[in-house]
Amino acid sequence: MYDKITDPNAKCSALKVNPAIEQPNQVNKDFLQKPSKSKTLTINDFVSGILNKDRIILSQAITLVESSRYDHQEKAQKIIEQCLPFAGKSIRLGITGVPGVGKSTVIDVLGTSLTKTGHKVAVLAIDPSSERSKGSILGDKTRMEDLSTDPNAFIRPSPSAGSLGGVARKTREIIILCEAAGFDVVIVETVGVGQSEVVAHSMVDFFLLLQLANAGDELQGIKRGIMEMADAIAINKAEGENKQKAEIAAGQYRNALHLFPISESGWKPSVFTCSAYSQDNINLIWQTVNDYVIHTKANNYFYKKRNEQNLKILSESIDSHLKENFYTNPIIIKRITEAKKEILENQISAYVAAQKLIEVYFNNINKEEI
Ligand code: GDP
């Protein structure tokens, strides 16, 4: 068998030294201008820095939001609170699709065309892979070569620690900071894996699903839920020979969407082909977003959805706080271990055990006034 490893003539052999190529500048040079001063900054310094559109201070504030340290969180919450009155003015655009569909390439082209027309674009990511593998499906900011060096763009990879719920909370808070710093377009990128797209959908105004034209049944393997959430479906890589296949796929999606009931927004999802390579229809993405915003602002759905999203944060926060308080209560920790043993030995049913634990918890907090 041919062995690339032992063949010194093979192009990719480790024994052959290839000439070095100059790497593109991967870090926005604005980030390198000033040394980190996060330790000495007061809350007021952070807030005025963010409102003055200081990207370095914005980055440092985001680092506080992402930190799990109690003192960082306390500071971050105060900064967010003071930024909140200045937030909410951007258009929040979610983009989802399987790895390789072209999300980062499309965002790079779309974002660059937006900054050229005077917009300020922030790109955030929700990456379900980072929690488990510590690696990432979405990768980092270096994927968007033009945008990562664009002074009017700000790219922040997914917070890498914590549960999906935790990442979601942090991303919502980062959106507030970016908006207060003057970014008028916030793109939230996620992979259509697990629940991450549901989470991304819960924090954006418009949700774009990127798809590919594959051979065979186009609609197979696509979660119905994702299609239901999409305000537009764009079939990417529609250039050259692929264009025709992409148009066929687009037709199939249009037909499939006809079977879905009209959503509460009254918006009929658009389906079109696009290509990040030829840049065909990339501007149509933005035009569609604008049409949607005009449509939903006219019928008030835009504001209703944002209000609902905010109220959902309230209930989610209460849920997670109660849960954490319950599971970290020392008496519960002890009793839960005993209950698990009793359940496995068939001494008690799981329902009764749960009921008892909850009773113990409430009796306990009432006494101790936690
Ligand atoms: P992501 O994983 O969804 O972010 O996908 P990427 O943006 O990293 O793209 C995956 C691959 O598809 C890369 O090799 C891109 O160069 C390529 N790609 C992205 N957009 C297009 C396109 O419009 N046409 C073609 N032919 N390839 C594309």
Side-chain angles (χ1 to χ4, degrees):
M1 200 179 76
Y2 173 71
D3 187 352
K4 278 198 258 183
I5 297 170
T6 51
D7 180 355
N9 296 320
K11 268 196 187 148
C12 56
S13 165
L15 302 176
K16 183 174 179 291
V17 179
N18 289 319
I21 345 163
E22 197 182 329
Q23 295 297 313
N25 185 6
Q26 292 177 331
V27 177
N28 194 321
K29 54 184 181 312
D30 289 355
F31 288 116
L32 304 173
Q33 280 168 5
K34 292 186 213 162
S36 162
K37 292 191 285 187
S38 62
K39 278 188 194 121
T40 56
L41 291 180
T42 64
I43 289 162
N44 276 348
D45 293 337
F46 271 112
V47 175
S48 58
I50 291 169
L51 297 181
N52 283 326
K53 307 179 178 13
D54 184 326
R55 311 161 56 98
I56 295 149
I57 293 187
L58 172 65
S59 291
Q60 290 173 348
I62 293 177
T63 306
L64 286 183
V65 169
E66 289 175 349
S67 166
S68 50
R69 260 177 57 180
Y70 181 78
D71 55 333
H72 286 172
Q73 273 307 308
E74 210 176 21
K75 207 168 182 182
Q77 291 312 316
K78 289 188 179 139
I79 298 166
I80 292 162
E81 207 178 302
Q82 293 190 34
C83 284
L84 209 48
F86 305 93
K89 295 188 191 90
S90 79
I91 291 179
R92 303 166 185 168
L93 164 63
I95 297 190
T96 193
V98 294
V101 70
K103 291 180 295 301
S104 54
T105 320
V106 167
I107 294 171
D108 200 26
V109 178
L110 173 67
T112 307
S113 106
L114 287 172
T115 59
K116 275 190 189 136
T117 51
H119 289 286
K120 292 193 76 195
V121 180
V123 182
L124 312 174
I126 294 181
D127 188 344
S129 58
S130 39
E131 182 192 349
R132 260 172 291 137
S133 61
K134 305 286 172 221
S136 125
I137 301 180
L138 287 174
D140 54 30
K141 65 178 96 175
T142 57
R143 294 181 315 141
M144 295 163 208
E145 275 181 26
D146 288 337
L147 217 50
S148 59
T149 54
D150 188 329
N152 288 312
F154 180 83
I155 302 173
R156 188 82 182 190
S158 180
S160 57
S163 63
L164 186 55
V167 169
R169 201 198 85 202
K170 286 171 185 175
T171 310
R172 286 196 190 102
E173 293 173 344
I174 297 168
I175 292 178
I176 293 168
L177 298 183
C178 289
E179 289 178 339
F183 289 92
D184 65 338
V185 179
V186 176
I187 299 179
V188 179
E189 179 192 9
T190 190
V191 208
V193 170
Q195 289 294 299
S196 68
E197 74 279 359
V198 179
V199 164
H201 181 254
S202 73
M203 61 182 80
V204 297
D205 305 311
F206 184 97
F207 202 56
L208 170 70
L209 169 63
L210 284 183
Q211 286 290 128
L212 291 176
N214 297 315
D217 185 353
E218 298 301 340
L219 304 175
Q220 263 182 20
I222 297 173
K223 287 190 267 178
R224 185 189 154 106
I226 294 198
M227 277 185 69
E228 264 170 341
M229 285 189 298
D231 299 302
I233 298 177
I235 321 294
N236 190 35
K237 309 198 184 180
E239 77 275 307
E241 288 175 353
N242 221 3
K243 171 105 181 133
Q244 203 192 353
K245 272 202 287 180
E247 290 296 348
I248 294 170
Q252 292 181 336
Y253 283 109
R254 274 186 212 109
N255 288 340
L257 285 172
H258 271 310
L259 304 173
F260 288 21
I262 292 264
S263 76
E264 198 194 335
S265 63
W267 172 260
K268 212 169 131 268
S270 336
V271 182
F272 50 88
T273 62
C274 72
S275 165
Y277 275 15
S278 69
Q279 307 205 356
D280 275 356
N281 275 352
I282 296 296
N283 285 336
L284 183 58
I285 296 177
W286 188 240
Q287 199 184 311
T288 309
V289 173
N290 274 316
D291 289 347
Y292 175 89
V293 171
I294 292 168
H295 172 89
T296 52
K297 281 192 172 171
N299 68 11
N300 262 328
Y301 179 79
F302 185 90
Y303 308 104
K304 185 173 177 261
K305 186 173 170 185
R306 280 209 175 172
N307 286 341
E308 281 172 3
Q309 288 175 341
N310 268 333
L311 293 181
K312 202 161 173 236
I313 297 174
L314 173 76
S315 55
E316 275 175 12
S317 308
I318 294 173
D319 287 356
S320 70
H321 186 80
L322 282 179
K323 228 168 146 178
E324 196 189 313
N325 200 284
F326 179 84
Y327 284 110
T328 52
N329 182 308
I331 296 179
I332 294 298
I333 293 174
K334 188 170 162 270
R335 293 287 179 93
I336 237 171
T337 317
E338 290 163 9
K340 281 181 183 169
K341 195 167 163 269
E342 284 169 13
I343 292 167
L344 294 180
E345 286 170 0
N346 279 332
Q347 292 176 20
I348 193 169
S349 89
Y351 296 107
V352 174
Q355 190 65 37
K356 280 192 169 172
L357 282 166
I358 287 167
E359 270 167 29
V360 167
Y361 174 73
F362 281 114
N363 288 339
N364 178 48
I365 55 167
N366 284 342
K367 258 189 241 140
E368 295 188 11
E369 287 179 344
I370 294 171

